[in-house]
């Protein structure tokens, strides 16, 4: 595991910021779509065209942000799992008998639980 330094934002704060940004993006997109729907009640063709272009632009921006966040979160999760697997592998190699004992203990507990049925 890598230590969290004071300069590095925590995973929770990054997730919170990401969630807040997503809410804002969806709010802006919703507003633009509502404006577009309201504008269709008017006969002003130029107004509809302008609002449609704005809605398309915001939709593309929101999609790009979501894809970027998804890729970043996937990368972070993959890196975290890899680090945890490496730490587990190092522990097993450094402490083979302890690892065997833990495995045996877990096996006994699972066997007892299954045997109760």
């Amino acid at each position: 595991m890598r230590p969290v330094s004071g300069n590095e934002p925590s995973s929770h704060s990054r997730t919170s910021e990401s969630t807040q940004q997503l809410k804002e993006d969806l709010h802006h997109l919703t507003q633009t779509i509502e404006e577009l729907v309201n504008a269709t009640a008017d006969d002003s063709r130029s107004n509809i065209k302008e609002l449609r272009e704005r809605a398309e632009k915001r939709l593309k921006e929101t999609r790009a942000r979501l894809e970027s966040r998804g890729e970043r979160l996937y990368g972070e999760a993959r890196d975290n799992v890899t680090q945890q697997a490496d730490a587990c592998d190092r522990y097993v190699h450094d402490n083979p008998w302890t690892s065997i004992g833990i495995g045996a203990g877990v096996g006994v507990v699972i066997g007892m639980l299954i045997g109760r049925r």
Side-chain angles (χ1 to χ4, degrees), residues 29 34 40 50 63-64 68 78 81 92 97 100 102 114:
L29 183 61
E34 286 175 357
T40 56
E50 176 188 329
R63 182 179 293 150
S68 172
R78 184 188 63 228
V81 168
V92 169
W97 290 109
I100 290 170
I102 290 172
I114 291 174

Side-chain angles (χ1 to χ4, degrees), residues 17-61:
E17 290 171 8
S18 189
T19 302
Q20 183 61 33
Q21 182 63 43
L22 177 61
K23 286 179 183 178
E24 290 174 11
D25 289 344
L26 291 175
H27 177 72
H28 290 302
L29 183 61
T30 303
Q31 279 182 324
T32 304
I33 291 173
E34 286 175 357
E35 290 173 5
L36 179 62
V37 169
N38 291 334
T40 56
D42 299 338
D43 265 347
S44 172
R45 297 286 179 203
S46 63
N47 191 20
I48 292 173
K49 184 178 178 181
E50 176 188 329
L51 287 172
R52 180 179 174 174
E53 290 171 356
R54 284 178 51 202
E56 287 177 350
K57 179 182 174 192
R58 287 215 176 134
L59 179 61
K60 287 178 184 176
E61 290 172 353

Side-chain angles (χ1 to χ4, degrees), residues 91-106:
Y91 180 82
V92 169
H93 280 92
D94 292 345
N95 305 294
W97 290 109
T98 304
S99 301
I100 290 170
I102 290 172
V106 169

